[in-house]
Amino acid sequence: MTVTTFSELELDESLLGALQEKGFTRPTAIQAAAIPPALEGRDVLGSAPTGTGKTAAFLLPALQHLLDFPRKKSGPPRILVLTPTRELAMQVADQARELAKNTHLDIATITGGVAFMNHAEVFSENQDVVVATTGRLLQYIKEENFDCRAVETLILDEADRMLDMGFAQDIETIAAETRWRKQTMLFSATLESEAVTEFAKRILNEPVEVEADPARRERKKILQWYYRADDIKHKTALLIHLLKQPEVTRSIVFVRKRDRVHELCGWLREAGINTSYLEGEMVQAKRNEAFKRLSEGRVNVLVATDIAARGIDIDNISHVFNFDMPRTADTYLHRIGRTGRAGKKGTALSLVEAHDHLLLGKIARYIDEPLKSRTIDELRPTTRAPSEKLNGKPSKKVLEKRKEKKASEETKPRVKQRHRDTKNIGKRRKPSSAVKTDNAE
Ligand code: ADP
Ligand code: MG
């Protein structure tokens, strides 16, 4: 039987009421697939594209469990959710609070960037659910400020991102510290990376694998275009023009480096466009403020680096701009996933310089559809477009040329590369996820 309503999921009235208030009328695919086995207490290995409702997919069964088995006296947290970033931790906690609003359950966060004093409160009070980032939580575990023994369910949200960010060891330590738990759930946007599946095998116990892959359908809701640009000045002019279009109501502009965030905000301000911004080095209070400014509509544009923007969920993002193209197709997908969430339409626009065209081709192959170009009359690029074919499938001519090139390269000795190869022998390194994404293309 396919689940089409939340009430079919046998959730508590208090949760159903909160869902209704949130305007969630029917479960998303991943929710319908993950909630029943999770309610049975099974371990869950879940994957579904960004923006398809994974948060409620793990929060609802976790909250239901707390309601089914109420604790007799106050004590340390019973549900522990780990997220890759502080922002995400706060968003997950917010959603948990909204879902649990008709219950007595308490939800807290433990993240970096918050003074210990503020967490002291968390420790002394009775908490049911704690949403945490790994670094600070581990510190508190080591200092014996955080008691893991009561944790019944451990949830890893955005596991792929956490591994990308190098938190594998941290998570394993926390998993060992919470060894009395009865259930573990791991959610990830994809299970394509072996790093994630291998990791899942170590952490999960006979998991039910649930996958909701409306990939194509989801992606279709995001219109994707690119504009060719001559240089950074041209890109800025294009961006300013596009940001001033009436349909561009709320956008995130992605750049690669922190310096660029500030530079670009300055240029936009000169053009009369106020922005807020997010970059990795900001103190927490400023980050929160940046989020709020956008989500409350005080500004319509957020300029951000990838790290800073990981996992954020701001409603009604009409446009995502790639001011700088991301280095990998995976990051591209992640960026554009900020728009077109939960069935809404979104638009992703990329500004592409000559040197980005190879990347564009990679992305097109990865998402399995060529990206189309657009131009703005008064802002046409002056440089010629590289072969359109580069952006999708290479033409016969290109393939032949490549072959020729390869052949000519093969006759040349490749001293440098061999040298590097020999140097690395015996240096067995765990493949990093960065290597993985490069190879995946
Ligand atoms: P993911 O973690 O898969 O990226 P989220 O859990 O952040 O996705 O959900 C994306 C958006 O969809 C959020 O704004 C959330 O409030 C909304 N959402 C989640 N579940 C539902 C639902 N059943 N009905 C309507 N909207 C939903
Ligand atoms: Mg999520």
Side-chain angles (χ1 to χ4, degrees), residues 205-267:
N205 181 19
E206 293 178 23
V208 178
E209 198 171 323
V210 290
E211 195 177 358
D213 188 27
R216 282 287 163 80
R217 193 152 47 87
E218 288 293 324
R219 272 180 223 144
K220 281 283 184 279
K221 286 175 200 136
I222 303 174
L223 301 171
Q224 301 169 60
W225 306 96
Y226 75 91
Y227 292 84
R228 284 203 305 113
D230 299 328
D231 50 26
I232 186 160
K233 239 180 118 183
H234 187 200
K235 280 207 295 195
T236 310
L238 282 165
L239 178 67
I240 290 168
H241 177 95
L242 291 165
L243 285 175
K244 287 186 171 168
Q245 301 308 304
E247 68 274 16
V248 183
T249 51
R250 183 174 287 181
S251 32
I252 303 185
V253 178
F254 282 101
V255 298
R256 264 196 203 165
K257 294 216 181 92
R258 198 182 337 133
D259 300 346
R260 181 58 61 75
V261 170
H262 299 286
E263 232 173 22
L264 186 59
C265 285
W267 296 333

Side-chain angles (χ1 to χ4, degrees), residues 50-55 58 88 92 157-158 187 311 313 341:
T50 306
T52 55
K54 292 190 286 297
T55 320
F58 60 75
L88 191 60
V92 170
D157 188 19
E158 301 221 1
F187 282 83
D313 174 30
R341 291 170 82 86

